[in-house]
């Protein structure tokens, strides 16, 4: 890498006044917590009637466990606290266990919500949790001096405030939890998770001692030594951003299959793989990945880094039944000079969730978010740009090709890393959702001192405001030119005055001027993308089989939401992956139908020099389908080969449930193929009952889905709106044969 110039103390950038520091309790143990459900459904998802109460159990020692029915509870983030407000008039308390009477239960309910209104909450993923105080949790120190006395020399206490934070002279009202920084030796790295061991890592005893969300501003403790994150540059330059993009491109164009492999492979990470500490493990899931790669690059290039660690509801946001809420950033973790031990600091990224991306384009929070929306240009949509799918997934762009296709990498709970192409299966959403393309907000280290040895010390990180970002834009939401609209649903997208759909607009904006779509090439690429996704599903199913999940008994209920959850279901199930795959098949059929409709008129954006487009598309479809084959391993070890046509036929029969045998995970119906499946009658019944859920393409991330087997059977009998009665038509061959 080229030598860097001295960049100490650049001009001060505008920055957000930090909020008061405060910590929340550990997130690894949910016992004693009350989930506050939020219905998080994308704007394109149909509204569904659902049970109007959130049922919750709270246990009181010596009294019992009343079940509480909460009528549409709203909550407003207020300085890290949550104020519960009843919108409905109904609150029911039902006796359970040895709770003596509803009246006594009502008294305890009143006390409970009084405590909740004054207690901190944690927003994890898209769900808020309230934590009841526990004597076993770390107790706050009485003063910053007492906290500092427990830390090694030179280290800031975890609750230390930024210079000038809050009102001048105002004492901090938040308590800081005591968790001293590790002083791990240089050669033996601190204990880190093995690739693919996300659940185990979250339950690790050391992590349990740390707060799950850090509210306010926090500094990584300085830990000198051979592996110290030595910060020698005060800001990211345009040159750094270009090198970061090249770092991402090399990972994307390699064949690495896990985050750990990508960062330790000479091919995927030629610049830095040999500078990793011995034995260090690297892990990231979808929300972590952008932050993890950014932090890793900053570490190896002597750059400072700050990232969000907590969120609360954005000012003015109401929790509605048919749209997701917007969040504001309420905590940040700052890595400033001299620098921490990266083996510890990198683990802090695990605090990030998809909620950290759900901030509105017109942001009004006190702390600035990590990203901002950009204009659809090749200067902004490039390697390193982040994509937020409003249905709860994150990806990182690694290249834009000559056809305007955006290629991305994404990570999964099993630490696998996959590749895809941005297309219509990633839905557009409104400006309050935070969806779409985002760039990293510039960060500047202010007030650092340069020592005699050239190193930096001290300072604080500030983030650049929207009005100073030249490529900040809301055109993704409101349209372009005369097509701009205050309502995102009415926005139009124009190319040289001609209106096109949103996804075509992105392609044409990023492709060379005058680009026209080739229906044959588009269809070919679509099928190849689907085939790659099918191949990646093989690895995901194999991962669950190797873990032996299919040998476990079937749980009595599904998770509260099969698309957004934690634990083994998050790691080993495939409902989101399968919904994406089904959407890709549907988009293929829709594209072919659109090409057939546009070809006769010779549209300015379509290029076809042949005579019979339908016949040529059919020939292309059959050739690509014949070339696409996958293999899976049955329960008895035998290998089964499936071609594209058979996979399309089985698509809505493939089980997303990791408790089912491999044969059912791949939609087997032939008794000879199913003969090796060892599922008992209960699992077979669950597989049949889940068919309606398999028929749907939309990931209903806000719906309550913790169904029992009887629930699923009843819904099928009553023709409920949970799932779909029939699978949609995805057949392309019959469309072309007409």
């Amino acid at each position: 890498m080229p030598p860097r110039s001295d960049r100490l103390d650049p001009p001060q950038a505008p920055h957000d006044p930090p909020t008061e520091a405060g910590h929340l309790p550990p997130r690894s143990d949910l016992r004693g917590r009350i989930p506050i459900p939020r219905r998080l459904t994308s704007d394109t998802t149909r509204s569904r009637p659902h049970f109007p109460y959130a049922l919750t159990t709270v246990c009181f020692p010596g009294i019992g466990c009343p079940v509480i029915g909460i009528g549409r509870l709203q909550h407003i983030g207020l300085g890290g606290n949550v104020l519960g407000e009843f919108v409905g008039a109904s609150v029911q308390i039902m006796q359970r266990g040895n709770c003596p009477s509803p009246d006594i239960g009502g008294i305890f309910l009143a006390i409970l919500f009084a405590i909740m209104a004054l207690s901190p909450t944690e927003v994890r993923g898209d769900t808020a949790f309230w934590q009841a105080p526990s004597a076993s949790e770390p107790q706050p120190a009485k003063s910053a001096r007492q906290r500092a006395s427990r830390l090694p020399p030179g280290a800031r206490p975890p609750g230390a405030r930024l210079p000038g934070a809050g009102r001048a002279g105002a004492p901090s009202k938040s308590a800081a939890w005591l968790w001293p920084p590790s002083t791990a030796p240089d050669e033996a790295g601190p204990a880190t998770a093995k690739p693919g061991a996300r659940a185990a890592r979250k339950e690790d005893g050391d992590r349990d001692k740390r707060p799950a969300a850090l509210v306010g501003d926090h500094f990584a403790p300085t830990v000198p030594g051979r592996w110290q994150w030595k910060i020698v540059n005060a800001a990211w330059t345009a040159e750094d951003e270009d090198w970061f993009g090249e770092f991402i491109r090399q990972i994307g164009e390699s064949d690495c299959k896990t985050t750990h492999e990508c960062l330790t492979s000479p091919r995927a990470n030629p610049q830095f793989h040999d500078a990793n500490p011995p034995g260090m493990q690297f892990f990231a899931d979808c929300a972590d990945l952008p932050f993890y790669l950014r932090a890793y690059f900053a570490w190896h290039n002597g750059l400072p880094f700050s990232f969000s660690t907590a969120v609360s509801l954005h000012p003015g946001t109401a929790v509605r039944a048919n749209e997701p809420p917007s969040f504001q950033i309420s905590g940040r973790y700052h890595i400033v000079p001299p620098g921490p031990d990266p083996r510890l600091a990198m683990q802090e990224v695990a605090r990030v969730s998809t909620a950290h991306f759900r901030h509105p384009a017109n942001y009004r929070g006190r702390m600035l978010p990590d990203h901002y929306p950009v204009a659809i240009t090749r200067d902004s949509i490039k390697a390193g740009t982040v994509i937020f799918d409003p249905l709860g997934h994150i990806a990182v762009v690694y290249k834009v090709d000559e056809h305007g296709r955006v290629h991305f990498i994404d990570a999964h709970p099993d630490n696998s890393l996959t590749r895809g192409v941005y297309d219509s299966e990633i839905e557009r959403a409104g400006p309050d959702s935070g969806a779409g393309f985002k760039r990293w907000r510039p960060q500047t280290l202010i007030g650092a001192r340069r020592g005699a040895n050239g190193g930096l010390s001290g300072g604080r990180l500030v983030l650049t405001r929207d009005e100073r970002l030249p490529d900040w834009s809301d055109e993704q939401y409101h349209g372009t030119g005369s097509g701009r609209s205050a309502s995102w649903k009415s926005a139009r997208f124009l190319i040289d005055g001609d209106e096109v759909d949103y996804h075509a607009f992105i392609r044409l904006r990023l492709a060379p001027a005058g680009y026209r779509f080739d229906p044959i090439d588009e269809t070919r690429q679509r099928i190849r993308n689907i085939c790659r996704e099918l191949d990646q599903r093989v690895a995901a199913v194999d991962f669950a089989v190797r873990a032996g999940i299919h040998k476990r008994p079937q749980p009595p209920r599904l998770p509260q939401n099969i698309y957004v959850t934690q634990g083994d279901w998050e790691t080993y199930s495939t409902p989101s992956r399968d919904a994406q795959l089904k959407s890709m098949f549907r988009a293929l059929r829709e594209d072919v139908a659109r090409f057939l409709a546009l070809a006769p008129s010779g549209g300015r954006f379509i290029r076809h020099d042949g005579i019979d487009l339908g016949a040529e598309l059919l020939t292309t479809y059959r050739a690509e389908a014949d070339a696409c084959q996958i293999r899976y391993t049955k329960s008895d070890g035998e290998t089964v080969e499936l071609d594209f046509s058979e996979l399309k036929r089985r698509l809505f029969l493939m089980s997303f449930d990791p408790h089912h045998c491999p044969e059912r995970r791949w939609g087997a119906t032939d008794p000879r193929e199913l003969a090796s499946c060892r599922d008992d009658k209960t699992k077979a019944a669950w597989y049949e009952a889940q068919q309606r859920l398999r028929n749907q393409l939309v990931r209903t991330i806000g719906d309550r889905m913790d169904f029992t087997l009887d629930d699923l059977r009843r819904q099928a009998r009553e023709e409920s709106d949970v799932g779909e009665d029939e699978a949609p038509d995805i057949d392309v061959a019959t469309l072309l044969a007409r």
Side-chain angles (χ1 to χ4, degrees):
M1 305 228 1
R4 302 177 184 277
S5 57
D6 189 307
R7 289 177 277 170
L8 178 63
D9 288 337
Q12 181 165 346
H15 61 280
D16 260 356
T19 60
E20 293 180 286
H23 296 286
L24 297 180
R27 64 176 165 186
S28 59
D29 186 0
L30 299 184
R31 289 172 298 179
R33 298 191 184 199
I34 298 177
I36 304 174
R38 298 173 177 169
R39 182 176 172 82
L40 302 178
T41 307
S42 77
D43 297 294
T44 56
T45 302
R46 59 188 179 281
S47 177
R48 300 168 177 267
H50 61 102
F51 189 65
Y53 297 96
L55 293 181
T56 278
T57 300
V58 185
C59 296
F60 300 93
I63 297 172
C65 302
V67 177
I68 305 168
I70 307 172
R72 292 185 182 177
L73 180 68
Q74 282 190 335
H75 43 284
I76 303 171
L78 204 59
N81 296 332
V82 166
L83 176 61
E85 176 186 2
F86 289 107
V87 177
S90 299
V91 176
Q92 298 178 349
I93 303 177
M94 294 167 280
Q95 282 186 265
R96 180 175 173 180
N98 59 347
C99 191
S101 72
D103 292 334
I104 294 179
I107 295 172
F108 278 96
L109 178 62
I111 296 172
L112 171 66
F113 280 102
I115 295 172
M116 286 179 65
L118 301 174
S119 299
T121 63
E122 168 199 346
V123 177
R124 177 164 354 128
D126 291 316
T127 304
F129 288 89
W130 172 73
Q131 173 70 42
S134 168
S136 63
E137 291 169 356
Q139 298 300 313
K142 295 181 180 179
S143 68
R145 179 176 297 176
Q146 288 173 328
R147 293 197 300 271
S149 67
R150 295 173 179 259
L151 301 176
R156 286 184 175 88
R161 296 166 58 83
L162 284 171
R167 303 189 311 276
S172 172
K173 298 180 182 179
S174 302
W177 298 87
L178 295 178
W179 55 281
S182 170
T183 54
D186 289 342
E187 297 301 330
T192 53
K194 296 181 180 179
R198 178 67 167 222
R201 186 179 65 156
K202 286 187 175 182
E203 295 172 1
D204 182 84
D206 292 337
R207 289 186 65 85
D208 286 353
K209 298 174 184 177
R210 302 185 303 162
L214 298 179
V215 179
D217 286 278
H218 300 268
F219 293 90
T222 296
V223 181
R226 176 182 173 186
W227 302 111
Q228 184 180 25
W229 185 327
K230 294 182 175 65
I231 299 170
V232 296
N233 302 292
W236 290 63
T237 65
E239 179 186 45
D240 293 322
E241 294 293 351
D242 289 343
W243 274 109
F244 176 65
E246 179 64 12
F247 165 68
I248 299 296
R249 184 193 65 79
Q250 289 172 332
I251 290 175
E253 294 190 341
S254 73
D255 59 355
C256 60
K257 294 179 173 60
T258 67
T259 304
H260 181 79
E261 181 186 353
C262 292
L263 295 180
T264 57
S265 162
R267 181 183 176 191
N269 185 19
Q271 289 99 342
F272 312 120
H273 75 278
D274 56 356
N276 295 327
M280 184 173 181
Q281 302 289 332
F282 301 99
F283 188 101
D285 66 10
C286 81
D288 300 345
L289 185 66
F291 290 88
Y292 205 82
L293 296 179
R294 188 80 169 181
Y296 180 91
F297 182 87
W299 157 30
H300 284 287
N301 287 275
L303 293 162
F305 187 50
S306 171
F307 58 91
S308 55
T309 56
V311 298
S312 57
L313 287 182
H314 188 267
T317 295
V319 179
R320 299 184 177 93
N322 61 348
E323 63 184 57
S326 299
F327 295 110
Q328 66 173 328
I329 304 304
S330 55
R332 299 198 69 85
Y333 192 80
H334 304 279
I335 298 172
V336 297
D341 186 328
R343 297 169 294 181
L344 301 170
M346 292 288 290
Q347 296 184 40
E348 299 301 324
V349 174
R351 302 177 189 280
V352 176
S353 72
T354 55
H356 291 236
F357 296 84
R358 291 187 186 275
H359 44 77
N362 184 25
Y363 185 82
R364 301 192 308 277
R366 296 183 65 195
M367 282 186 167
L368 287 171
D370 302 279
H371 308 96
Y372 63 95
V374 293
I376 307 300
T377 68
R378 290 190 76 98
D379 289 335
S380 295
I381 311 300
K382 56 185 179 181
T385 298
V386 176
I387 303 170
F388 178 38
D389 179 343
L391 294 182
H393 195 60
I394 315 295
V396 181
V397 175
Y398 72 86
K399 74 174 179 181
V400 178
D401 66 22
E402 67 274 15
H403 300 284
R405 297 189 184 98
V406 179
H407 298 254
F408 62 77
I409 53 176
D410 56 345
H412 306 277
D414 59 0
N415 202 32
S416 63
L417 187 140
T418 55
R419 292 153 183 83
V421 177
Y422 183 89
D423 221 319
S424 56
E425 60 268 13
I426 299 178
E427 298 176 348
R428 174 175 169 262
D432 290 341
S433 69
F437 293 95
K438 302 166 175 279
R439 292 289 296 173
W440 284 93
R441 191 176 296 272
Q443 302 178 357
T444 305
L445 183 64
I446 300 297
R449 300 179 300 277
R450 180 81 69 181
N453 62 354
L456 295 175
S457 62
R460 57 192 174 104
L461 280 167
V462 297
L463 278 66
T464 305
R465 288 187 174 276
D466 290 345
E467 59 268 22
R468 299 209 174 193
L469 298 169
D471 62 341
W472 184 97
S473 173
D474 60 0
E475 71 177 14
Q476 299 177 60
Y477 314 111
H478 296 295
T480 59
S482 61
R484 280 189 65 86
S485 170
S487 170
W488 72 272
K489 294 181 179 179
S490 303
R492 296 182 299 125
F493 298 90
L494 308 178
I495 297 292
D496 298 331
D498 290 339
E499 183 176 352
V500 296
D501 69 74
Y502 175 67
H503 292 88
F505 168 77
I506 292 174
R507 288 281 305 278
L508 293 169
R509 265 284 190 95
L510 300 180
Y515 182 83
R516 295 192 297 168
F517 294 107
D518 179 350
I520 304 300
D521 183 61
E522 294 297 321
T523 301
R524 180 183 297 115
Q525 292 301 322
R526 275 281 194 188
I527 297 173
R528 290 179 180 179
N529 292 340
I530 291 173
C531 194
R532 181 182 60 244
E533 191 73 20
L534 287 164
D535 189 60
Q536 291 172 169
R537 188 181 189 274
V538 173
V541 173
D542 286 351
F543 182 71
V545 171
R546 288 196 303 271
I549 308 300
H550 65 299
K551 297 179 181 178
R552 297 181 184 177
Q554 184 80 37
R557 288 183 178 271
L558 291 175
Q560 183 164 334
N561 186 281
I562 63 173
Y563 304 103
V564 181
T565 186
Q566 292 181 322
D568 286 348
W569 186 273
E570 178 193 28
T571 303
Y572 299 111
S573 70
T574 57
S576 292
R577 183 190 293 270
D578 292 353
Q580 178 88 348
L581 187 58
K582 295 164 188 173
S583 296
M584 294 175 75
F585 271 94
R586 180 186 62 177
L588 170 62
R589 190 180 195 279
E590 292 175 345
D591 279 359
V592 169
R594 187 180 301 114
F595 291 142
L596 291 173
L598 290 174
S601 62
R604 59 168 294 199
F605 299 119
I606 299 293
R607 184 184 79 244
H608 177 248
D609 301 325
I611 299 174
D612 188 342
L613 177 60
E616 293 179 47
L617 284 173
L618 183 58
T619 300
T620 301
Y621 176 83
R622 286 173 174 168
E624 291 297 326
D626 290 344
C628 177
Q629 296 183 338
I630 66 100
R631 295 176 179 83
Y632 86 90
T633 304
K634 295 170 51 180
S635 301
D636 59 4
E638 180 185 342
T639 299
V640 177
E641 186 174 278
L642 302 173
D643 61 20
F644 188 85
S645 297
E646 178 63 12
L647 288 162
K648 177 177 64 65
R649 185 190 70 80
R650 296 184 178 202
L651 185 62
F652 294 92
L653 299 172
M654 297 177 186
S655 174
F656 53 75
D657 193 328
H659 300 93
H660 296 159
C661 65
E663 292 83 355
R664 286 199 167 99
R665 297 299 304 276
W666 287 102
T669 55
D670 188 319
R672 292 171 296 180
E673 187 178 349
L674 273 172
S676 54
C677 176
R678 300 186 179 94
D679 286 356
D680 57 23
K681 291 182 179 180
T682 300
K683 290 189 176 184
W686 270 94
Y687 172 79
E688 294 296 332
Q690 290 170 1
Q691 185 60 55
R692 289 174 58 86
L693 299 180
R694 291 196 295 272
N695 286 343
Q696 71 179 29
L697 278 70
V698 177
R699 285 168 282 170
T700 49
I701 63 174
D703 285 2
R704 190 72 179 265
M705 304 179 75
D706 52 345
F707 306 122
T708 65
L709 179 58
D710 287 341
D711 291 336
L712 292 173
R713 286 170 167 170
R714 182 177 63 255
Q715 289 158 2
R717 291 194 304 269
E718 298 173 356
E719 298 183 356
S720 77
D721 63 346
V722 176
E724 300 290 347
D725 290 330
E726 302 291 338
D729 186 2
I730 59 170
D731 191 22
V732 174
T734 54
L735 178 67
L736 292 171
R738 297 171 188 170

